[in-house]
Amino acid sequence: METQIALEEQMKLSSKIVNDFSITVATVNGSGSQTSNSAILRAIFKMGIPVSGKNIFPSNIQGLPTWYTIRVNKDGFVARKKEADILIAMNPATFSEDLESLVPGGAFFYADDIRLSITRDDVVAYPMPVKQLIRQVDIPSYLRDYVANMVYVGILAQMIGIDLEKIRQALEFHFKGKAKPVEINFGVVSLAAAWARENLEKKDPYLLEPMDATAGLILTDGNTAAALGAIYGGVQFVSWYPITPATSLAENLQQYLPKLRKDPQTGKNTYVVVQAEDELAAIGMAIGAGWGGLRAMSSTSGPGLSLMTEYLGLGYFSEVPVVVWDVQRVGPSTGLPTRTAQGDLTFVAFMGHGDTQNIILMPGSVNECFEFAWKAFDLAEQFQTPVIVLSDLDFGMNQWMGKPFEYPDQPMNRGKVLWEEDLEKLEGKWARYRDVDDDGIPYRTLIGNRHPKAAYFTRGTGHDEYANYSEEPEDWHALLNRLKKKFETLKPYLPQPVEERMEGAKINLLSFGSTEPAIQEARALLQKEGIATDFTRIRSFPFTDRVKEICSRYERNYVIEMNRDGQLHQLLRMYYPEIASKMISYAYTDGLPLTAKQIIDFVLSEER
Amino acid sequence: MSNGVSHTDVKVVVNAVGLTKADYRGNPSTLCQGCGHNSISSQIIAACYELNLLPEEIVKFSGIGCSSKSPFYFLSRSFGFNGLHGRMPSLATGALFADHTLRGIGVSGDGDTASIGMGQFKHLLRRNMRLVYIVENNGVYGLTKGQFSATADQGLELKSHGINPYMPIDIAWEALVGHATFVARSFAGDPKQVKELIKAALNHNGVAVLDIISPCVTFNNVDHATHSYAWGKEHETALHELSYVPRAEEILLEYDEGEVREVELHDGSMIVLKKLGQDYDPTNREAAMKVLEESNRCHCLITGLIYIDPNQPSMWDIYQLTETPLNRLREDQLRPSRETLAELNRVFQA
Ligand SMILES: Cc1ncc(C[n+]2csc(CCOP(=O)(O)OP(=O)(O)O)c2C)c(N)n1
Ligand code: SF4
Ligand SMILES: [Mg+2]
């Protein structure tokens, strides 16, 4: 702790900024900076300080610039912040641009082999002898490049006060306890920290001090949370096709399923994961499996979802349970595949042929990614229809703090399924599409049911209650209306909106998905400006009645979302035309997560 | 009984599982009279009846087309799913995982398989899913009224569509190249062969492709077209006479030694091939390619079991599932314990 004291001595004169700043690490994509950045992030988290980490990366495997931003905030506001207070410049190509982006008084750490001039005198510049330090490490030369990025970890740790022991623990997490890589990487970190202690003089104001604001919390990404939630929801069948940012969802399933879901006696599998040839096949398999009675899912993003639309439309119409995660990204084709958006909402809501509606769940935290992952199966099977979970890249691939995952608090709901003994009791008298319980939800049987009356023929053609072919106008009409009734029945079972009140609030900030951190930060700052706000986060579609009750209360509901056209705003006005004039749209998309400042500026411009 | 007919009076022929042939029937066909697809449906019924399979242990799948409608016309006591155009392979793959004790029969058309569905068809083969995959091949799109399909002969002239300028796709060839482990070709006008091939296919531990020329009497029955009755009858050359012999059944067929070849399937059942003239070995992939290539060159219809590899692992061998079908597993087998989640939380915690 001697160094800590020395640092503080130095800092006595200048003002300190403690636990409230953001760090941007500028590297070249593919240079292996991920380990370094996660080590910094998790070490800060382990020091008890609220933190988040976002990867702003290009669609490229190697060579293009990439930025990792870490937001440290003692009050827990960890949305993206545009400005960088500390910048670590490892990429010559963006060196000058990075230097410009720094706030006045900011700290600029740069690899000293980048021979470019420091063109600002209002920042503190720290050269880092990366190459020179790495040469001193006793490892095979082919490994040197991999660990070079650990140099900035060590130097930063020394200069802002990251506990080295926490960095070691973070590396142990990253390497899943494998001793050798932890030792090698940590060796570099220690060496670099020692070098900084001897050679650099602290001149910037940014410091970390341990807190206990993260005790008991977890740090993870939405795709990991979703995969685990699905496993605790009893997922049995996963078929998928790689697409950023959904890929790591399926890969996490592949990683965790073998550990969690083998039959303990026989070691045999209770699950199936198939990497399909495309999304057309991925959804075909999932629909087949859902029809066969398995908890089936796929994960994809916008372009994949369009390929899945035809089968999902058939799934809605022939009443097949299936869960699809749409981890949203930007645009068609390649678009901006590594950037985030909330642009699929209206598409997903009605995706299908003719009159279609889909259940959409919209998680707003990593905890809800977990929770909705298991709940989605219950809803899909209870209501025999596809359920789409709308996540986005910011959730899927970035690191978020959350509460520990909560074990499902309800037994599984497998829906209305008739097995042999049920048909025995009914003397074989049943009809696949008959509304027996007057709730729009029929009964189904599953393949393998050996009762001679169990079978039925599933089809996309018009059908009667017995699933027989029918072009009778009344059959078609009745079928469509029963499906509508089913969607009325299901509303109370969908997650209700999250509501937060503030003393004296006359306006409501309304959103869905990953924008909550930016909105919460904006609310706190708006309050300081004298504007109290309530907050509502919608968590499902079709909208529950509560959504209308809430919106009716306010003269102005600011509908905040990351797309161009204000899709949530569109849907709300469509469903509630009588209160449409109470809805104000703030829709903005540029591929990056929203910031509090954007929201504040908009609300102030409207309110003043 | 009030009508005076007691059950003992009626002689009902049943198979070894106590079912009559009627128990294997489907709904009345709405396809055209004389459509090749109908005769294939009859042979599916006959094969399942003769193999003593319970209809409840079979699941039917199809894509879209006249051919794909036909699963409604056989095995009413079996579950069925008439899916999307060209995408029955994925549907069947997912569904069959629900209960690995079941056998799948998929019916497709040449449009359904060789155009929109080519991708899924090829990938089904690669995975060697246990599924009988029947292509009812008529060289046209029947259901959309007679456009050329990708298997139509080059130069074929049809009244409303002119002359087909493109080269045909050969489904058996595609199957072989795609590593199908069972490839057969037959002709709807040869019911005995169709039936024996279906029987053998049903017992194959993997994907079994049956490319069955099945004339469309409405849109493509011009006598010189490969997919017509007249041409098929005239040009069919069977590679062998063929019988399927279930396991534990004595081989009663009498063939002269030297003329008979037996192929043992995974479960010990046999396919007995009686050679016709040439010395053909259906376990030799290279030879199979040669036979197909030659038949294309001489423009003749080679039928029979073209290729079989009974030893490739099927998807079941690869996936190692619990003995209990997945769709009968209980909640406690699917939801890991609380303790495991607590342990995971500890790893992610500060
Ligand atoms: C996605 C899609 N595109 C087009 C169609 C229209 N369609 C229905 S059947 C068919 C062709 C069927 O041809 P084939 O598979 O050869 O069956 P056949 O009727 O000849 O037995 C087409 C194009 C469809 N149902 N779905
Ligand atoms: S149109 Fe052709 S393929 Fe369709 S049912 Fe009639 S004969 Fe068969
Ligand atoms: Mg056809």
Side-chain angles (χ1 to χ4, degrees):
Chain A
M1 281 286 78
E2 234 170 280
T3 51
Q4 188 72 31
I5 294 161
L7 266 177
E8 279 171 21
E9 283 290 321
Q10 285 169 17
M11 293 295 303
K12 259 183 197 147
L13 296 176
S14 65
S15 63
K16 291 196 292 179
I17 297 176
V18 178
N19 297 349
D20 185 12
F21 51 86
S22 65
I23 306 167
T24 295
V25 183
T27 51
V28 179
N29 204 25
S31 65
S33 55
Q34 198 58 42
T35 316
S36 301
N37 301 334
S38 349
I40 295 170
L41 181 77
R42 192 164 290 273
I44 297 173
F45 174 68
K46 284 179 177 288
M47 288 172 72
I49 310 165
V51 71
S52 71
K54 296 191 193 297
N55 198 4
I56 314 287
F57 63 112
S59 172
N60 160 262
I61 300 302
Q62 204 177 37
L64 288 181
T66 173
W67 292 271
Y68 196 80
T69 65
I70 294 173
R71 171 100 187 257
V72 180
N73 185 280
K74 56 183 185 312
D75 302 316
F77 295 131
V78 291
R80 183 175 76 91
K81 205 178 111 182
K82 194 162 166 248
E83 303 74 23
D85 301 303
I86 296 175
L87 206 135
I88 297 172
M90 299 292 286
N91 183 2
T94 61
F95 185 90
S96 305
E97 172 192 336
D98 292 334
L99 181 56
E100 282 310 310
S101 73
L102 205 52
V103 298
F108 189 71
F109 294 86
Y110 65 99
D112 68 358
D113 53 310
I114 304 178
R115 306 243 170 260
L116 290 165
S117 47
I118 308 289
T119 51
R120 284 178 68 176
D121 54 13
D122 63 340
V123 299
V124 184
Y126 300 104
M128 301 186 292
V130 177
K131 293 238 158 91
Q132 195 186 320
L133 285 172
I134 272 302
R135 247 177 267 130
Q136 297 171 23
V137 186
D138 182 25
I139 48 166
S141 54
Y142 72 90
L143 280 178
R144 290 214 165 113
D145 281 350
Y146 290 102
V147 297
N149 283 319
M150 285 294 149
V151 169
Y152 70 71
V153 179
I155 293 175
L156 182 74
Q158 173 62 28
M159 299 307 284
I160 65 170
I162 308 175
D163 184 342
L164 289 190
E165 185 45 37
K166 301 291 185 202
I167 290 186
R168 177 198 279 283
Q169 290 170 13
L171 287 169
E172 277 164 3
F173 172 88
H174 186 88
F175 291 109
K176 302 192 169 71
K178 278 183 229 114
K180 190 77 189 166
V182 174
E183 188 192 310
I184 292 173
N185 284 280
F186 190 68
V188 180
V189 173
S190 313
L191 179 81
W195 176 87
R197 197 180 309 134
E198 294 300 315
N199 296 284
L200 295 181
E201 189 188 335
K202 176 86 176 170
K203 289 186 186 142
D204 67 85
Y206 305 107
L207 276 178
L208 292 175
E209 282 173 9
M211 296 173 67
D212 64 359
T214 66
L217 298 186
I218 60 169
L219 181 70
T220 190
D221 61 82
N223 281 350
T224 303
L228 289 172
I231 294 173
Y232 284 84
V235 63
Q236 292 172 283
F237 189 90
V238 183
S239 45
W240 68 291
Y241 187 73
I243 183 169
T244 306
T247 299
S248 61
L249 205 169
E251 286 178 346
N252 271 297
L253 283 163
Q254 264 168 338
Q255 180 191 332
Y256 286 107
L257 275 166
K259 293 181 191 133
L260 292 164
R261 286 280 300 283
K262 280 192 190 286
D263 183 83
Q265 262 93 56
T266 58
K268 296 277 177 141
N269 299 319
T270 64
Y271 65 89
V272 176
V273 182
V274 185
Q275 186 188 319
E277 59 269 32
D278 53 30
E279 288 89 347
L280 302 168
I283 192 63
M285 290 180 198
I287 288 275
W291 176 76
L294 302 186
R295 299 205 133 185
M297 71 178 279
S298 186
S299 58
T300 188
S301 193
L305 201 66
S306 20
L307 293 183
M308 294 185 175
T309 304
E310 196 181 359
Y311 251 128
L312 286 169
L314 179 59
Y316 167 83
F317 185 70
S318 56
E319 302 179 67
V320 177
V322 70
V323 173
V324 176
W325 278 73
D326 175 14
V327 188
Q328 297 165 98
R329 66 187 215 183
V330 177
S333 169
T334 306
L336 297 178
T338 57
R339 302 301 162 98
T340 200
Q342 297 178 314
D344 292 347
L345 179 62
T346 44
F347 167 53
V348 171
F350 308 117
M351 178 175 56
H353 322 94
D355 299 294
T356 306
Q357 261 190 33
N358 294 297
I359 297 181
I360 307 177
L361 300 182
M362 310 165 191
S365 64
V366 281
N367 292 88
E368 285 182 0
C369 286
F370 181 90
E371 181 189 335
F372 290 179
W374 63 261
K375 281 202 171 140
F377 290 119
D378 288 344
L379 288 167
E381 290 191 328
Q382 185 179 358
F383 298 104
Q384 303 175 24
T385 195
V387 174
I388 315 298
V389 192
L390 214 50
S391 177
D392 65 15
L393 179 139
D394 192 16
F395 268 142
M397 296 182 72
N398 288 326
Q399 293 290 320
W400 297 63
M401 292 187 303
K403 295 194 210 83
F405 297 130
E406 273 177 45
Y407 198 73
D409 57 1
Q410 293 151 28
M412 289 180 188
N413 187 339
R414 305 301 312 259
K416 298 183 187 178
V417 175
L418 302 172
W419 282 107
E420 285 88 342
E421 55 282 9
D422 306 310
L423 291 175
E424 211 66 61
K425 279 189 214 126
L426 293 169
E427 293 169 354
K429 293 197 183 74
W430 79 290
R432 167 65 181 103
Y433 294 117
R434 182 173 295 158
D435 186 5
V436 182
D437 303 325
D438 198 26
D439 55 5
I441 314 166
Y443 285 79
R444 63 180 188 139
T445 52
L446 302 176
I447 57 170
N449 186 326
R450 302 302 202 266
H451 192 284
K453 290 276 190 281
Y456 69 99
F457 194 77
T458 305
R459 49 170 85 245
T461 50
H463 46 261
D464 62 15
E465 289 185 335
Y466 290 93
N468 286 329
Y469 185 82
S470 168
E471 294 187 22
E472 293 302 320
E474 42 292 12
D475 281 336
W476 185 263
H477 184 76
L479 168 60
L480 281 190
N481 283 315
R482 182 177 55 72
L483 289 174
K484 188 169 179 181
K485 181 162 151 201
K486 183 165 88 171
F487 269 67
E488 284 306 316
T489 303
L490 63 82
K491 278 187 188 168
Y493 294 88
L494 298 178
Q496 293 291 349
V498 167
E499 300 172 50
E500 272 181 33
R501 301 286 187 94
M502 195 185 272
E503 187 69 39
K506 296 206 166 48
I507 60 171
N508 180 29
L509 305 191
L510 191 143
S511 72
F512 74 103
S514 65
T515 53
E516 177 167 352
I519 297 175
Q520 294 292 17
E521 187 178 355
R523 290 177 71 216
L525 294 166
L526 283 167
Q527 194 179 22
K528 285 187 188 151
E529 298 277 330
I531 298 176
T533 55
D534 283 352
F535 171 66
T536 308
R537 185 161 55 74
I538 291 176
R539 302 197 294 169
S540 55
F541 178 85
F543 301 130
T544 59
D545 296 341
R546 182 74 189 143
V547 173
K548 185 177 175 190
E549 284 168 34
I550 297 169
C551 293
S552 305
R553 283 204 305 255
Y554 304 93
E555 271 319 300
R556 290 181 299 288
N557 294 280
Y558 288 88
V559 185
I560 299 165
E561 53 196 310
M562 290 190 294
N563 51 55
R564 185 192 64 185
D565 293 340
Q567 300 184 11
L568 179 60
H569 183 248
Q570 287 174 346
L571 290 177
L572 287 167
R573 296 205 310 171
M574 186 174 113
Y575 281 92
Y576 308 128
E578 57 283 20
I579 53 168
S581 62
K582 293 166 176 263
M583 309 279 180
I584 300 174
S585 174
Y586 179 65
Y588 187 88
T589 182
D590 62 2
L592 299 173
L594 283 188
T595 64
K597 185 164 184 306
Q598 291 172 301
I599 297 163
I600 294 166
D601 289 351
F602 182 77
V603 174
L604 287 179
S605 73
E606 291 286 317
E607 292 292 315
R608 288 203 166 143
Chain B
M1 293 232 156
S2 55
N3 60 7
V5 182
S6 82
H7 274 289
T8 43
D9 293 341
V10 185
K11 255 213 193 130
V12 189
V13 185
V14 295
N15 63 6
V17 288
L19 298 181
T20 68
K21 202 149 177 190
D23 292 321
Y24 293 82
R25 290 221 181 95
N27 288 54
S29 170
T30 60
L31 302 179
C32 305
Q33 281 258 341
C35 174
H37 304 350
N38 284 331
S39 103
I40 298 170
S41 296
S42 308
Q43 297 319 312
I44 294 173
I45 292 169
C48 293
Y49 170 77
E50 287 175 22
L51 282 180
N52 304 306
L53 298 175
L54 285 174
E56 289 75 25
E57 295 181 350
I58 296 171
V59 193
K60 309 171 290 183
F61 302 96
S62 60
I64 298 291
C66 294
S67 34
S68 294
K69 281 183 171 188
S70 64
F72 196 53
Y73 314 136
F74 59 83
L75 302 178
S76 279
R77 281 173 54 174
S78 304
F79 279 84
F81 199 147
N82 179 200
L84 292 185
H85 197 20
R87 278 154 289 167
M88 172 262 280
S90 59
L91 185 73
T93 301
L96 289 169
F97 269 109
D99 185 340
H100 65 277
T101 65
L102 306 176
R103 300 177 210 224
I105 299 180
V107 177
S108 178
D110 43 320
D112 198 64
T113 290
S115 291
I116 192 168
M118 189 60 119
Q120 297 216 345
F121 174 59
K122 287 284 192 169
H123 285 272
L124 174 76
L125 308 180
R126 264 182 82 216
R127 298 196 180 96
N128 203 25
M129 187 58 172
R130 189 167 177 186
L131 177 72
V132 177
Y133 189 96
I134 298 171
V135 186
E136 301 184 345
N137 186 351
N138 55 15
V140 286
Y141 289 3
L143 193 58
T144 50
K145 297 197 181 289
Q147 300 82 0
F148 292 117
S149 85
T151 65
D153 298 330
Q154 188 179 26
L156 176 67
E157 184 166 5
L158 292 179
K159 259 199 213 106
S160 47
H161 294 91
I163 296 173
N164 173 34
Y166 304 118
M167 244 99 74
I169 284 173
D170 179 337
I171 288 169
W173 176 260
E174 295 296 337
L176 197 57
V177 170
H179 293 282
T181 50
F182 183 116
V183 182
R185 172 168 284 157
S186 191
F187 171 50
D190 185 351
K192 158 105 184 19
Q193 190 193 45
V194 169
K195 185 177 72 182
E196 293 303 314
L197 282 170
I198 293 171
K199 283 185 181 173
L202 276 164
N203 278 284
H204 175 62
N205 182 42
V207 69
V209 178
L210 275 68
D211 175 19
I212 306 180
I213 307 303
S214 175
C216 169
V217 290
T218 307
F219 297 113
N220 184 16
N221 202 24
V222 284
D223 286 356
H224 57 278
T226 309
H227 303 88
S228 69
Y229 277 118
W231 190 88
K233 284 239 149 56
E234 215 164 279
H235 293 78
E236 189 193 358
T237 317
L239 282 170
H240 29 237
E241 240 170 56
L242 164 130
S243 308
Y244 170 75
V245 188
R247 193 163 81 112
E249 210 175 274
E250 224 181 317
I251 299 179
L252 296 171
L253 304 147
E254 284 196 15
Y255 287 126
D256 293 339
E257 246 190 274
E259 280 191 353
V260 173
R261 201 189 136 81
E262 293 163 5
V263 181
E264 189 176 345
L265 293 179
H266 202 75
D267 62 352
S269 55
M270 293 278 187
I271 298 172
V272 181
L273 306 169
K274 183 184 174 193
K275 282 167 203 156
L276 292 179
Q278 55 179 309
D279 189 14
Y280 185 68
D281 172 8
T283 63
N284 181 336
R285 198 155 165 263
E286 225 179 299
M289 288 183 169
K290 215 164 149 202
V291 154
L292 281 177
E293 195 55 18
E294 272 167 11
S295 80
N296 280 341
R297 190 170 345 111
C298 70
H299 201 49
C300 52
L301 182 63
I302 284 289
T303 64
L305 179 64
I306 294 166
Y307 178 69
I308 182 166
D309 173 2
N311 301 318
Q312 268 300 319
S314 77
M315 224 159 167
W316 299 148
D317 303 316
I318 296 163
Y319 272 85
Q320 294 295 316
L321 305 174
T322 50
E323 213 168 292
T324 309
L326 290 188
N327 73 1
R328 291 186 190 249
L329 293 179
R330 298 179 318 268
E331 173 161 351
D332 62 296
Q333 295 168 290
L334 298 178
R335 176 167 282 168
S337 70
R338 253 169 217 285
E339 294 70 48
T340 57
L341 186 62
E343 181 53 37
L344 282 164
N345 274 325
R346 261 194 296 283
V347 175
F348 293 117
Q349 250 157 13

